[in-house]
Amino acid sequence: MDMEPNGNGKDDPLPPPPPTIPPDLVPLKAEPEITPDPVKKKALRVPIARRGLGSKGQKIPLLTNHFKVNVTSTEGYFFHYSVSLSYEDGRPVEVKGVGRKVIDRVKETYDTELAGKEFAYDGEKSLFTVGQLPRNKLEFTIVLEEITSNRNNGNCSPNGHGSPNESDKKRVRRPYNSKTFKVEISFAAKIPMLAIANALRGQESENSQEALRVLDIILRQHAAKQGCLLVRQSFFHNDPRNFADVGGGVLGCRGFHSSFRTTQGGLSLNIDVSTTMIVTPGPVVDFLIANQNVRDPFSLDWAKAKRMLKNLRIKTSPANSEYKITGLSDLPCREQTFTLKQKGGKDGDEEGSTEVTVYDYFVKHRNIELRYSADLPCINVGKPKRPTFFPLELCSLVSLQRYTKALSTLQRASLVEKSRQKPQERMKVLSDALKTNNYDAEPMLRKCGVSISSNFTQVEGRVLQAPKLKAGNGEDFFPRNGRWNFNNKKLVQPSKIEKWALVNFSARCDVRRPSTRFDQMWRNERNREFNNHLLAVVHQLAANKHFIVFVQLVEPPFDVFEENPQFRRAPPMVRVDKMFEEVQSKLPGAPRFLLCLLPERKNSDLYGPWKRKNLADFGIVTQCMAPTRVNDQYLTNLLLKINAKLGGLNSLLAVEQIPAIPLVSKVPTLILGMDVSHGSPGHSDIPSIAAVVSSRQWPLISKYRACVRTQSPKVEMIDSLFKPVSDKDDEGMIRELLLDFYLSSGKRKPDNIIIFRDGVSESQFNQVLNIELDQIIEGCKFLDEKWSPKFVVIVAQKNHHTKFFQPGSPDNVPPGTIIDNKICHPRNNDFYLCAHAGMIGTTRPTHYHVLLDEVGFSADDLQELVHSLSYVYQRSTTAISVVAPICYAHLAASQMGQFMKFEDKSETSSSHGGITSAGAVHVPQLPKLDDKVSSSMFFC
């Protein structure tokens, strides 16, 4: 008995089991160990820790929009309370916006019972204090008047039958036109302030995230007190100087994002300029006219207007009362009637009421002149069974109301143009914002011992050297400032077009094909300038005179196909079908390539049906062009895209050709880019589209193919990576891409798989590691049970608010600037990279998070690989801001998404679907691409 069982020491041996215990009890106790639940047993992956910092590159001092936060109090606790709001009759309050006013009234009325505590309230169900409230459960009753002109009001509606009358102003002061609320505040949890200090040391926990959330809520509350519009962690002041008209009755409203971040250098406050869309305040009729782009209110589409106006808030004149729009009247103002109660009349007393039109009521009873509302619908602010109508011209939209519909192409372009800021201008705006916000005066922050520096944080960046590129004939060249050109150079792999034709849907271009000279095709004098440009395209493609270094074409186009004018007003799919009938009737066989001239609009309705017809039905490579702003650069990019689509290669990395990419070139390595594209805001029934692109022809990392599937709306995790349908068949995306890699790479299976994932937030990192990666591993095992490739998983984020500036310089940071210190995560392996040259506005870096690295890259090797992958994008002659595989995945999802716009969902719906706010949604499947183009870079 002198052994040391379980390391307990010689003096503490375990006693033998009593003889009375049945011998079969031991295996029973161990049974959970023998048959574990595989889901519970499996260890969850978490993001890896940083292994070291990079050292390559020229060091450069930078400033960043992170402001140092000092925290002096780490002794006490934040107390978290749950807030429940209900009306007097017990119904829960579901109207947004009312919570803050109710809690403000509670604080104002019951300050003594609350021991004078300051609150941090999120506007919904969570309230935080520094230190404890007197009791764990507190109940209060407060009264709020309904009438208000504050933009943050909640639920104002005229409380009466029919339209407001002469006594409106008097009625609001009566008790029955106020609302009584019951407020219940219950203890939920306490959060040690020490959690903030732990987070600064990289010891993140649920507590530390909660503690930082409290600080963020304090900032939101600070902004709410100033009457700001709050959008997540951004806030927008009601200041016309911050508004920019982008057309369609929409304004871009400039505000600020602010969030606390834990970094290697401690806690910092990240402040950045932010923009949201709001409806133009002012007369409702002016907004509708601008929104629908019509001349006068009598040309408005009222069904569209009703959808646009629902739930927007208005002020009515002359009372200046504020209401929420619930709809429009069915009849015009002069015909829409309501029951007007006479003085002394009672509910249900027919003798005390009379039917009157809304028009007569306002003109005759209220003596308000109406200039144009008589024949237009009224605005309804009442409830379905108790409508309350106002003539249109008495209604004005209040300011700071979000516009959540999708923007048009022109609106987006205008927004970008008007919201961009040069680096120095942005720095000044942020400095001024910090002073204006005066966070030092915020009582809750003072209670926490939090103070915020007014200086931009200094960081050290490194500028990585641009990778050497290869052109045709083995020629080397170096990009300069993230750009290069192909003057006097040949492509690495030029493609050949032997059968091609030109298809013209554009009425602007009068195409005629004489039997003799090709260059007499366009003779229309009005379009001479445009036609000369287009003629240049055809010359370059057909005669191969100007751009011989680009594409080697051996034949002129077989024919030029004009659209029959009688079909120009037909539906897009009909126009495409008719054009294909024409092409099929005249060509001896299927063309390999079609150059398509679309009408002037950039987002042509023809694009989706045309692409689908070519790629899915016939397997024809096609290039579309819109005849606007055609210049040499446009034509160069056009030809680069055509070459890539036809299987050519424009340029590649010198290390790719040698091959000498660390770790990647030594063993077969597959690179994946993954992205999910969602429908525009407000469309819960539009399927999301998942795209995965994969590298092919290893050791190349410049050639890719794509696999695209639909999935349930708004779902971010890709659900079609592994889809076994039997013991031998897997219809998942990964199997398709693995087989392509195997066949295109000399029948080699990849030993390393590097995954670049776009579009996920930090809260979804664990899902990427434990759901998506598991599916990919299962897809590999399904092909070969013994095969265990090593994985690298990297998430790329563009949607963040960290910016970098060169001190004392008006210029953006140089391309290749990388930062992995001071403001990066205290524990995890992340870095910021500005691979591209920011030409306009302020450069937005890409934030890369290395979640997993089983291959064992050094910090420098991995950072250089990511940097190099910004130089293999075949569509342009510039470095791009995010790695090419992710850009390609985004393009593939976007292009295939165009197919969906013209689908009959009933014919293509699949069995899998999703539950959204609109109920169960069938997810239509995308058409399968023809085998001739399925492995091409059709998305280029």
Side-chain angles (χ1 to χ4, degrees):
M1 299 291 291
D2 60 348
M3 296 174 65
E4 298 181 25
N6 296 327
N8 288 326
K10 292 181 182 178
D11 298 330
D12 190 22
L14 289 177
T20 53
I21 295 177
D24 61 344
L25 193 61
V26 175
L28 278 172
K29 286 180 73 177
E31 190 172 351
E33 300 276 332
I34 296 167
T35 57
D37 180 344
V39 176
K40 291 179 183 174
K41 180 73 176 172
K42 186 177 169 186
L44 293 179
R45 301 181 192 93
V46 294
I48 62 168
R50 187 185 305 279
R51 293 172 183 163
L53 300 176
S55 59
K56 285 188 177 177
Q58 181 71 40
K59 290 181 180 177
I60 178 174
L62 299 170
L63 297 175
T64 183
N65 57 338
H66 285 239
F67 299 86
K68 177 87 174 151
V69 177
N70 287 315
V71 185
T72 55
S73 173
T74 56
E75 301 274 314
Y77 289 84
F78 290 120
F79 280 77
H80 178 192
Y81 293 88
S82 178
V83 177
S84 172
L85 304 180
S86 59
Y87 296 110
E88 201 172 11
D89 59 7
R91 287 178 300 120
V93 175
E94 293 175 349
V95 180
K96 287 191 174 182
V98 76
R100 287 191 190 278
K101 293 202 332 242
V102 170
I103 292 298
D104 284 347
R105 181 59 59 88
V106 167
K107 176 94 171 62
E108 182 185 305
T109 312
Y110 298 100
D111 194 48
T112 309
E113 289 90 329
L114 296 165
K117 289 280 184 193
E118 295 291 341
F119 291 167
Y121 177 51
D122 72 351
E124 295 183 13
K125 295 186 176 179
S126 290
L127 182 148
F128 300 88
T129 61
V130 178
Q132 197 168 8
L133 291 176
R135 294 198 305 281
N136 279 352
K137 187 166 184 179
L138 297 153
E139 293 181 352
F140 305 103
T141 300
I142 60 107
V143 176
L144 276 187
E145 294 78 22
E146 285 195 318
I147 191 74
T148 178
S149 59
N150 185 327
R151 69 146 308 276
N152 270 327
N153 80 53
N155 53 339
C156 299
S157 60
N159 194 3
H161 298 289
S163 288
N165 56 35
E166 281 283 334
S167 60
D168 278 350
K169 292 183 184 177
K170 294 175 187 172
R171 287 193 324 184
V172 299
R173 286 190 272 274
R174 292 178 187 169
Y176 63 77
N177 208 56
S178 300
K179 276 214 167 76
T180 301
F181 295 90
K182 290 181 177 177
V183 184
E184 200 176 272
I185 299 175
S186 314
F187 171 75
K190 65 178 186 175
I191 305 156
M193 290 194 190
L194 188 62
I196 298 175
N198 290 341
L200 302 187
R201 293 194 292 268
Q203 299 168 2
E204 289 226 32
S205 63
E206 190 177 335
N207 272 342
S208 64
Q209 287 301 312
E210 278 295 297
L212 293 183
R213 179 173 163 245
V214 178
L215 296 183
D216 282 331
I217 287 168
I218 293 171
L219 294 193
R220 280 174 59 79
Q221 179 173 278
H222 184 77
K225 284 177 183 174
Q226 299 172 44
C228 291
L229 165 66
L230 306 180
V231 183
R232 293 181 292 277
Q233 288 175 292
S234 296
F235 48 91
F236 304 88
H237 289 275
N238 189 14
D239 184 347
R241 290 175 300 179
N242 294 334
F243 301 162
D245 188 358
V246 298
V250 182
L251 302 179
C253 177
R254 193 174 73 190
F256 300 95
H257 163 94
S258 65
S259 62
F260 287 96
R261 311 283 300 177
T262 52
T263 69
Q264 294 137 311
L267 186 63
S268 69
L269 179 64
N270 177 207
I271 301 182
D272 193 22
V273 175
S274 184
T275 304
T276 194
M277 313 313 300
I278 61 171
V279 297
T280 303
V284 171
V285 69
D286 291 353
F287 166 72
L288 291 175
I289 288 170
N291 185 250
Q292 296 188 20
N293 194 24
V294 295
R295 290 186 176 182
D296 54 57
F298 305 101
S299 309
L300 289 166
D301 176 338
W302 290 104
K304 189 175 176 183
K306 185 177 180 179
R307 289 194 302 271
M308 185 60 68
L309 293 176
K310 190 171 173 62
N311 293 328
L312 290 178
R313 294 187 317 279
I314 55 165
K315 279 184 185 174
T316 58
S317 61
N320 205 32
S321 306
E322 190 172 314
Y323 307 107
K324 181 188 280 187
I325 298 174
T326 53
L328 298 175
S329 62
D330 295 328
L331 299 171
C333 186
R334 71 163 78 248
E335 297 175 31
Q336 182 66 53
T337 61
F338 70 97
T339 305
L340 177 66
K341 289 183 175 50
Q342 305 295 332
K343 287 183 181 177
K346 297 178 182 177
D347 284 354
D349 183 355
E350 291 182 11
E351 291 181 10
S353 62
T354 181
E355 285 289 308
V356 63
T357 66
V358 176
Y359 182 83
D360 285 347
Y361 168 74
F362 278 93
V363 172
K364 295 176 181 175
H365 291 252
R366 300 283 299 274
N367 295 317
I368 296 171
E369 182 188 357
L370 297 180
R371 292 176 295 112
Y372 59 80
S373 295
D375 296 311
L376 302 176
C378 304
I379 298 285
N380 179 12
V381 297
K383 292 175 181 169
K385 293 182 180 176
R386 296 169 65 187
T388 303
F389 299 116
F390 285 99
L392 193 65
E393 66 191 86
L394 300 185
C395 302
S396 289
L397 292 163
V398 301
S399 192
L400 291 186
Q401 298 192 76
R402 288 186 72 199
Y403 179 86
T404 56
K405 308 287 189 293
L407 295 182
S408 69
T409 305
L410 288 174
Q411 284 174 319
R412 270 200 308 273
S414 178
L415 178 65
V416 169
E417 178 71 35
K418 291 177 178 178
S419 61
R420 66 171 59 121
Q421 292 172 305
K422 288 290 186 186
Q424 296 293 73
E425 182 191 353
R426 185 172 290 242
M427 286 183 77
K428 183 178 186 315
V429 167
L430 295 178
S431 290
D432 291 346
L434 203 56
K435 289 172 191 166
T436 306
N437 287 327
N438 191 20
Y439 289 130
D440 289 340
E442 171 58 49
M444 276 292 284
L445 288 181
R446 284 214 305 269
K447 279 272 186 190
C448 307
V450 169
S451 61
I452 300 163
S453 166
S454 58
N455 298 320
F456 286 77
T457 297
Q458 296 181 9
V459 295
E460 185 181 80
R462 294 173 287 115
V463 182
L464 301 179
Q465 186 177 355
K468 183 165 65 173
L469 301 182
K470 286 275 185 186
N473 297 338
E475 184 183 352
D476 293 341
F477 64 101
F478 281 97
R480 295 183 60 185
N481 196 32
R483 310 177 77 81
W484 63 95
N485 63 55
F486 275 108
N487 289 347
N488 304 315
K489 294 181 181 69
K490 287 193 175 183
L491 298 183
V492 173
Q493 292 175 9
S495 57
K496 292 186 178 181
I497 308 173
E498 295 174 349
K499 299 177 182 176
W500 72 286
L502 180 70
V503 167
N504 180 31
F505 285 104
S506 174
R508 277 189 65 198
C509 183
D510 182 18
V511 180
R512 297 286 181 268
R513 184 173 188 260
S515 56
T516 53
R517 287 183 53 79
F518 199 80
D519 53 359
Q520 293 173 351
M521 230 160 66
W522 293 275
R523 294 180 174 179
N524 188 330
E525 291 298 321
R526 280 185 309 130
N527 294 325
R528 176 177 290 179
E529 182 182 352
F530 162 67
N531 291 335
N532 285 343
H533 281 308
L534 196 57
L535 184 59
V537 177
V538 178
H539 265 307
Q540 289 149 26
L541 290 171
N544 191 21
K545 288 175 182 173
H546 303 298
F547 280 74
I548 192 165
V549 292
F550 279 107
V551 184
Q552 294 176 350
L553 295 148
V554 296
E555 290 180 0
F558 180 84
D559 210 335
V560 176
F561 295 94
E562 278 281 10
E563 182 175 33
N564 189 326
Q566 76 181 72
F567 297 124
R568 287 212 170 110
R569 296 191 181 275
M573 293 183 80
V574 173
R575 294 175 70 182
V576 168
D577 286 341
K578 292 295 182 186
M579 182 64 84
F580 259 90
E581 286 174 15
E582 180 77 6
V583 171
Q584 284 178 296
S585 69
K586 291 190 178 177
L587 289 184
R592 188 176 171 219
F593 170 67
L594 287 175
L595 178 65
C596 174
L597 267 64
L598 293 175
E600 291 82 348
R601 299 189 310 280
K602 185 174 181 182
N603 286 347
S604 171
D605 289 342
L606 289 165
Y607 184 84
W610 175 256
K611 286 288 182 182
R612 177 186 169 145
K613 190 67 121 176
N614 278 272
L615 297 173
D617 295 358
F618 290 98
I620 299 170
V621 174
T622 179
Q623 177 62 51
C624 294
M625 62 177 290
T628 54
R629 294 190 183 180
V630 179
N631 54 29
D632 282 350
Q633 187 60 53
Y634 179 93
L635 298 176
T636 298
N637 288 352
L638 194 77
L639 291 161
L640 291 175
K641 289 169 71 173
I642 292 169
N643 191 47
K645 286 177 180 179
L646 288 166
L649 200 54
N650 300 327
S651 63
L652 47 72
L653 303 169
V655 287
E656 202 176 351
Q657 196 174 52
I658 297 174
I661 305 170
L663 300 179
V664 172
S665 299
K666 288 182 179 177
V667 295
T669 299
L670 170 68
I671 296 176
L672 300 177
M674 297 168 39
D675 186 29
V676 178
S677 168
H678 303 293
S680 56
H683 290 81
S684 60
D685 58 340
I686 302 291
S688 291
I689 298 180
V692 183
V693 304
S694 64
S695 60
R696 55 201 314 266
Q697 296 180 21
W698 176 83
L700 293 184
I701 59 171
S702 288
K703 275 201 172 181
Y704 292 84
R705 65 155 292 169
C707 190
V708 185
R709 304 282 171 87
T710 50
Q711 59 186 43
S712 301
K714 308 301 177 191
V715 172
E716 184 55 53
M717 290 298 113
I718 301 176
D719 65 8
S720 302
L721 295 168
F722 176 56
K723 284 269 181 199
V725 290
S726 70
D727 290 344
K728 293 183 178 178
D729 291 322
D730 165 21
E731 293 182 353
M733 303 163 85
I734 289 300
R735 177 188 175 91
E736 189 177 318
L737 300 174
L738 288 172
L739 289 174
D740 178 78
F741 180 90
Y742 179 76
L743 294 172
S744 69
S745 305
K747 296 196 172 177
R748 295 182 183 90
K749 285 181 289 193
D751 292 331
N752 300 334
I753 298 179
I754 301 173
I755 300 164
F756 287 95
R757 179 65 160 95
D758 188 29
V760 290
S761 62
E762 289 178 44
S763 63
Q764 296 168 312
F765 287 178
N766 286 344
Q767 290 175 279
V768 171
L769 282 174
N770 295 290
I771 297 175
E772 290 185 340
L773 181 57
D774 272 358
Q775 280 196 57
I776 293 170
I777 291 170
E778 286 185 67
C780 294
K781 294 289 184 191
F782 198 85
L783 278 170
D784 182 351
E785 184 62 39
K786 296 176 184 176
W787 176 34
S788 296
K790 294 176 180 176
F791 288 92
V792 176
V793 180
I794 302 172
V795 168
Q797 289 178 334
K798 291 281 286 181
N799 193 20
H800 61 84
H801 289 276
T802 296
K803 302 287 192 299
F804 297 102
F805 309 91
Q806 294 195 67
S809 168
D811 298 329
N812 269 308
V813 297
T817 300
I818 195 161
I819 298 95
D820 62 1
N821 63 86
K822 200 139 182 195
I823 53 120
C824 290
H825 196 278
R827 174 193 173 274
N828 295 352
N829 188 358
D830 66 328
F831 59 91
Y832 293 90
L833 175 62
C834 305
H836 63 302
M839 305 305 287
I840 48 178
T842 303
T843 298
R844 177 183 290 184
T846 299
H847 193 185
Y848 291 99
H849 303 260
V850 184
L851 304 187
L852 179 69
D853 177 12
E854 296 175 337
V855 175
F857 280 95
S858 70
D860 279 323
D861 285 346
L862 192 58
Q863 289 171 9
E864 287 218 314
L865 174 65
V866 172
H867 183 225
S868 295
L869 282 169
S870 301
Y871 280 81
V872 301
Y873 191 57
Q874 298 296 304
R875 282 166 49 113
S876 69
T877 56
T878 62
I880 53 174
S881 62
V882 69
V883 290
I886 281 178
C887 268
Y888 289 148
H890 184 75
L891 287 171
S894 177
Q895 188 167 131
M896 294 290 277
Q898 294 290 327
F899 291 11
M900 303 302 296
K901 290 184 181 179
F902 308 94
E903 288 289 281
D904 177 358
K905 293 183 182 180
S906 63
E907 290 180 9
T908 55
S909 59
S910 66
S911 58
H912 70 288
I915 303 297
T916 69
S917 57
V921 176
H922 283 294
V923 180
Q925 293 178 333
L926 287 165
K928 196 173 184 298
L929 296 187
D930 187 278
D931 289 343
K932 292 192 287 295
V933 293
S934 61
S935 61
S936 73
M937 290 177 69
F938 68 87
F939 43 80
C940 244

